[in-house]
Amino acid sequence: MAPQPWRTRASRDIYRNKWVRLREDIAELPDGRTTIYSVLTPGIGQCVGVLPFLPDGRVVMIRQYRYVYGEGHRWEMPTGGMHEGETPEEAAQRELQEEIGYRAGRFEWISSYYTSKSVVEETAHLFLGFDLTPSSLPPDETEFLEIEAMPFEQVLDMVLRSDIRDSMTVTAVLHAARRLGV
């Protein structure tokens, strides 16, 4: 028997700013009991990531300080939240321009997935980016980025060693490796 849906009986915001919303729901379980369920929604609940390929097979990666983990030494691909009204492709293009100063002539969708199995309400849309041309937009006010083009095989090795831990980058690199037959 398939799992039975829960019903939301009440919902209230606990906290909200321009980057995140935390709400508390009262959910009715299939057996009629109720429980409190907290839900965190980053931005509009959707984000994008692009693994951008240069013609020589290298990928453009970024490194930035990640406050939550207190780290500034791990590489990742360009990623970011979607804005209201943007398609995933439009958001991916904007993130490339803001973070690495390129525009993709072509995107290949590789995956859409939930970034958390439970309390975070966010869907990530992942792409491979090709036919890059220089084009930049101002970076986000909190981003201070290091940019480097790396051989794809080096990035794959970093994923396999867990030197790269960002879930969007890990997922995109493994999909790319399978597509490339690496």
Side-chain angles (χ1 to χ4, degrees):
M1 173 186 275
Q4 298 299 305
W6 298 9
R7 290 191 166 82
T8 304
R9 293 296 178 206
S11 185
R12 69 182 180 108
D13 278 354
I14 301 296
Y15 177 80
R16 180 189 289 251
N17 66 28
K18 71 179 189 175
W19 295 287
V20 69
R21 173 186 177 211
L22 175 63
R23 76 173 197 265
E24 183 177 87
D25 292 351
I26 302 297
E28 182 181 319
L29 304 173
D31 65 4
R33 292 179 299 131
T34 60
T35 188
I36 295 173
Y37 206 90
S38 299
V39 179
L40 180 75
T41 305
I44 66 166
Q46 295 191 66
C47 59
V48 295
V50 183
L51 189 61
F53 279 84
L54 295 169
D56 63 6
R58 292 180 300 153
V59 292
V60 183
M61 302 291 286
I62 62 169
R63 183 161 53 181
Q64 62 183 311
Y65 183 76
R66 289 300 188 184
Y67 179 80
V68 171
Y69 299 105
E71 293 182 335
H73 61 279
R74 297 198 191 276
W75 291 96
E76 59 194 54
M77 68 184 187
T79 62
M82 287 177 56
H83 295 169
E84 194 70 46
E86 278 184 319
T87 66
E89 292 82 0
E90 289 167 341
Q93 196 72 268
R94 177 182 46 75
E95 287 296 333
L96 284 179
Q97 292 175 286
E98 289 175 357
E99 294 190 357
I100 64 169
Y102 281 99
R103 179 177 180 76
R106 179 172 58 93
F107 287 115
E108 281 185 27
W109 173 87
I110 53 172
S111 181
S112 291
Y113 73 98
Y114 303 134
T115 61
S116 169
K117 65 181 176 89
S118 186
V119 299
V120 177
E121 182 181 38
E122 181 180 53
T123 301
H125 305 282
L126 305 182
F127 300 90
L128 303 180
F130 299 99
D131 305 326
L132 303 181
T133 56
S135 176
S136 63
L137 290 172
D140 284 346
E141 61 190 34
T142 60
E143 292 181 330
F144 303 89
L145 307 174
E146 180 181 350
I147 302 166
E148 186 173 325
M150 301 177 176
F152 177 76
E153 292 77 12
Q154 177 185 349
V155 173
L156 176 58
D157 287 343
M158 292 166 73
V159 164
L160 296 175
R161 288 192 312 265
S162 289
D163 290 339
I164 292 176
R165 295 183 181 175
D166 166 64
S167 69
M168 289 197 288
T169 305
V170 168
T171 302
V173 169
L174 294 177
H175 273 277
R178 183 161 190 182
R179 283 189 181 206
L180 298 171
V182 178

